[in-house]
């Protein structure tokens, strides 16, 4: 595990974007595992900036996103597909047929998840997986108590996650989907490199517990201690207790 300290959110975003950028330069036809949430937005903005300056080329890159709400079509403004279009894909030259997000509109959870695992296998596995961390220690939508050995699967979101996400649904908890399709911990652990971004004082406690405490399914991110190439880029506040 490697911890990289950043001054603030902007610095964290630049450092994380540098690592992703290095991956794309070293292997132009790489597979990037991408994440939604507030934390990676600055990282994507930095990548877009470097793309606009001619320093980055995504034409051979394949992307696989971590998760998607079950029941939201791609056109829904809160779907993770839509988030990725707005925050990255529309602004760079990733080929549309190289973009993969679990199919939230497929009500058949088993089929949707099986198909997604097949896609990840077909593209040759993930070279670099970008992750945020939930305040309860979730990664993707793998909530506390989730088995470590799962591939893509359907999960019930915890109250804490629903509460944290309602800000994206006009603050109305009733509108937040109750389930999601997510890569499992096994899928994430099979990525050749894992890059986590974390910022803000509200992440400090969970960062300390996840990476300086026992590895336990009760804290899904803790398994990353065992990953052979795990990098955590955090700002001063998020790393204030470690
Ligand atoms: P955030 O979400 O980046 O919006 O804090 C992180 C997560 O829940 O994985």
């Amino acid at each position: 595990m490697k911890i990289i300290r950043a001054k603030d959110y902007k610095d964290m975003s630049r450092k994380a974007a540098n690592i992703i950028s290095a991956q794309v330069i070293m292997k132009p036809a790489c597979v990037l595992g991408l994440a939604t949430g507030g934390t990676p937005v600055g990282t994507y903005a930095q990548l877009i900036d470097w793309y606009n300056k001619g320093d980055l080329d995504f034409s051979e890159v394949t992307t696989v996103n971590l998760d998607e709400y079950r029941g939201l079509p791609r056109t829904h403004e809160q779907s993770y597909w839509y988030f990725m279009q707005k925050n990255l894909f529309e602004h760079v030259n990733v080929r549309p047929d190289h973009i993969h997000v679990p199919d939230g509109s497929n009500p058949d959870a088993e089929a949707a998840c099986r198909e997604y695992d097949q896609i990840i296998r077909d593209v040759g596995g993930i070279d670099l997986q970008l992750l945020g961390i939930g305040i309860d220690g979730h990664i993707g939508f793998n909530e506390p108590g989730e088995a470590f050995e799962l591939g893509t699967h359907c999960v019930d979101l915890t109250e804490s996650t629903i509460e944290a996400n309602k800000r994206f649904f006009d603050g109305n908890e009733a509108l937040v989907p109750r389930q999601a399709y997510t890569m499992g911990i096994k899928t994430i652990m099979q990525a050749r490199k894992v890059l986590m971004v974390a910022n803000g004082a509200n992440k400090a406690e969970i960062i300390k517990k996840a990476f300086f405490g026992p590895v336990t399914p009760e804290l899904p991110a803790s398994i990353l201690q065992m990953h052979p190439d795990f990098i955590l880029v955090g700002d001063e506040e998020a790393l204030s207790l470690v």
Side-chain angles (χ1 to χ4, degrees):
M1 177 168 90
K2 192 179 186 72
I3 297 183
I4 298 178
R5 287 181 182 267
K7 283 196 294 289
D8 51 23
Y9 181 75
K10 189 153 193 270
D11 189 33
M12 176 206 77
S13 302
R14 282 177 68 87
K15 284 180 161 63
N18 256 308
I19 293 166
I20 297 169
S21 174
Q23 172 69 64
V24 174
I25 291 167
M26 301 280 282
K27 185 178 175 187
C30 66
V31 177
L32 297 180
L34 299 177
T36 54
T39 317
V41 169
T43 305
Y44 296 145
Q46 182 63 74
L47 291 173
I48 293 165
D49 187 42
W50 287 334
Y51 167 76
N52 286 332
K53 289 183 170 135
D55 290 337
L56 266 179
D57 175 18
F58 292 88
S59 61
E60 293 178 59
V61 169
T62 294
T63 69
V64 285
N65 258 78
L66 272 176
D67 47 15
E68 179 61 281
Y69 287 117
R70 181 181 190 210
L72 290 194
R74 287 176 170 183
T75 48
H76 192 290
E77 284 188 14
Q78 291 309 328
S79 76
Y80 287 173
W81 173 274
Y82 192 90
F83 175 101
M84 289 306 302
Q85 294 297 328
K86 294 292 157 197
N87 285 286
L88 181 65
F89 299 147
E90 276 180 6
H91 310 283
V92 298
N93 63 338
V94 185
R95 284 174 46 173
D97 60 327
H98 281 192
I99 293 169
H100 306 283
V101 179
D103 183 4
S105 67
N106 184 350
D108 184 341
E110 208 185 300
C113 296
R114 198 178 47 238
E115 279 162 23
Y116 204 63
D117 279 337
Q118 188 60 47
I119 287 171
I120 295 171
R121 273 194 295 276
D122 289 349
V123 298
I126 299 164
D127 289 299
L128 184 155
Q129 177 64 54
L130 178 65
L131 292 178
I133 182 169
I135 48 173
D136 61 357
H138 70 222
I139 47 178
F141 268 129
N142 294 282
E143 304 278 20
E146 199 77 54
F148 280 158
E149 61 273 12
L150 291 175
T152 306
H153 60 290
C154 182
V155 292
D156 295 328
L157 306 187
T158 60
E159 280 311 315
S160 138
T161 299
I162 292 167
E163 171 67 24
N165 286 2
K166 77 176 183 198
R167 66 189 195 272
F168 302 117
F169 291 84
D170 301 328
N172 185 347
E173 206 177 301
L175 296 178
V176 187
R178 278 357 201 204
Q179 289 186 311
Y181 298 147
T182 185
M183 283 185 197
I185 300 288
K186 186 174 89 179
T187 332
I188 293 169
M189 286 299 281
Q190 284 172 345
R192 291 181 270 280
K193 185 188 278 296
V194 177
L195 170 63
M196 176 177 281
V197 282
N199 76 292
N202 66 334
K203 298 286 169 75
E205 192 69 40
I206 199 69
I207 292 284
K208 181 177 170 207
K209 278 197 197 140
F211 305 121
F212 295 87
V215 174
T216 162
E218 289 314 312
L219 208 167
S222 65
I223 188 74
L224 294 166
Q225 292 182 37
M226 320 281 284
H227 192 281
D229 190 0
F230 169 55
I231 306 171
L232 166 63
V233 182
D235 76 345
E236 261 177 24
E237 288 185 348
L239 299 180
S240 61
L241 300 179
V242 303

